[in-house]
Amino acid sequence: MKLPEEFKNRMRGILGMEYAAFERSYQEKSSKALRLNPSKAAEDFLERAPFALEAVPWAEYGYYYEEGFPGKHPYHAAGVYYIQEASAMAPAAYLGAKPHERILDLCAAPGGKTTQIAADMRGTGILISNEIHSARAKILSENVERMGLSNTIVTNETPEKLAGAFEEYFDRILVDAPCSGEGMFRKDPVAVEEWSPENVEICWQRQRRIIGDIWDTLKPGGILIYSTCTFNTKEDEENARW
């Protein structure tokens, strides 16, 4: 894989002596994982699963798998589990959703984090799962239906419009923001092709608009988790400080 030179130079500055190990990681085999749906997976599922599973430490119901094709199994179509990278399970785990809360998953498609949050809510409370792009909102709706979520409402709105309807309404908000996608390089060659310093600039400004628009929907004392799949400090640390 040929990484963009500007990206490599910036990562060298961030990682220092650890950069060589970082670059080697792109040649290593990536891990694969799934997350069980507690409302559909029987208690003895781990004993009779058609593929070997190993627990993901930071995610309840999350498991690594190495062999087999879980995405092609009838269990997947039935919503017994959701195929999701282990790292992608972290933001919803940090959100710490509880039963009977009001929660917003703002940039929700295709639905991995929404289905994880809903599992933590144990089918109670209200989960607003929003996706601004209509085609992706349709995919989100299909996954919500496949996983059998009964407390989830899928919306296709701008953050600004949601803010007008839900002032100080949510106990918790997850903003898994659209980003420059640097963390996707190993799995998605298109992310490498689309990366540019100019796109990074566009992304961090868009992310601030999103957070600014949605901030007032959070209850006083509520929790907002902001996450990206990029390494860029403008989109991550600088936005967090802002």
Side-chain angles (χ1 to χ4, degrees):
M1 175 187 299
K2 184 173 176 56
L3 298 172
E5 285 300 322
E6 290 181 78
F7 168 74
K8 292 198 293 185
N9 290 336
R10 180 168 50 77
M11 294 306 294
R12 285 190 187 98
I14 294 172
L15 297 174
M17 294 178 64
E18 295 180 307
Y19 177 78
F22 170 77
E23 190 162 6
R24 283 197 304 273
S25 72
Y26 284 89
Q27 310 307 318
E28 296 172 2
K29 183 180 178 182
S30 59
S31 61
K32 297 177 288 187
L34 57 81
R35 188 173 31 76
L36 297 183
N37 181 356
S39 68
K40 291 192 175 186
E43 291 185 3
D44 64 345
F45 180 83
L46 295 179
E47 299 172 10
R48 57 187 179 84
F51 25 77
L53 299 173
E54 179 183 348
V56 173
W58 53 85
E60 188 178 16
Y61 309 119
Y63 294 89
Y64 294 106
Y65 68 91
E66 290 189 4
E67 306 297 332
F69 300 93
K72 296 182 179 180
H73 198 282
Y75 283 146
H76 180 262
V80 175
Y81 52 76
Y82 190 101
I83 304 293
Q84 186 180 29
E85 291 185 356
S87 59
M89 300 177 192
Y94 283 121
L95 185 70
K98 301 287 191 300
H100 308 294
E101 290 185 326
R102 297 171 176 175
I103 296 178
L104 171 64
D105 184 4
L106 183 62
C107 311
K113 296 172 181 66
T114 281
T115 57
Q116 186 176 357
I117 294 167
D120 289 339
M121 296 173 74
R122 304 295 193 264
T124 65
I126 298 175
L127 172 57
I128 304 294
S129 182
N130 186 73
E131 174 54 47
I132 194 170
H133 299 291
S134 57
R136 286 172 57 80
K138 184 175 185 297
I139 296 170
L140 171 62
S141 296
E142 291 169 355
N143 280 320
V144 165
E145 182 177 2
R146 178 172 65 86
M147 301 297 278
L149 306 186
S150 59
N151 64 338
T152 304
I153 300 169
V154 175
T155 56
N156 174 214
E157 295 292 352
T158 63
E160 185 179 19
K161 190 164 183 180
L162 289 174
F166 293 102
E167 185 175 356
E168 294 188 356
Y169 183 83
F170 297 107
D171 299 287
R172 303 173 198 262
I173 299 174
L174 176 61
V175 181
D176 186 47
C179 67
S180 59
E182 294 171 359
M184 305 290 287
F185 283 0
R186 184 164 63 169
K187 101 178 218 183
D188 186 4
V190 175
V192 181
E193 295 171 7
E194 292 181 347
W195 184 90
S196 70
E198 293 76 21
N199 190 39
V200 169
E201 292 294 312
I202 292 170
C203 287
W204 75 260
Q205 294 177 42
R206 179 193 297 129
Q207 291 151 359
R208 290 195 183 187
R209 288 196 301 272
I210 290 171
I211 297 170
D213 284 345
I214 210 67
W215 187 261
D216 287 341
T217 68
L218 190 64
K219 286 182 178 179
I223 293 173
L224 185 146
I225 295 292
Y226 170 77
S227 64
T228 72
C229 55
T230 195
F231 303 118
N232 196 283
T233 54
K234 275 195 169 182
E235 299 176 71
D236 294 338
E237 288 87 345
E238 291 185 27
N239 272 349
R241 283 193 292 269
W242 173 81

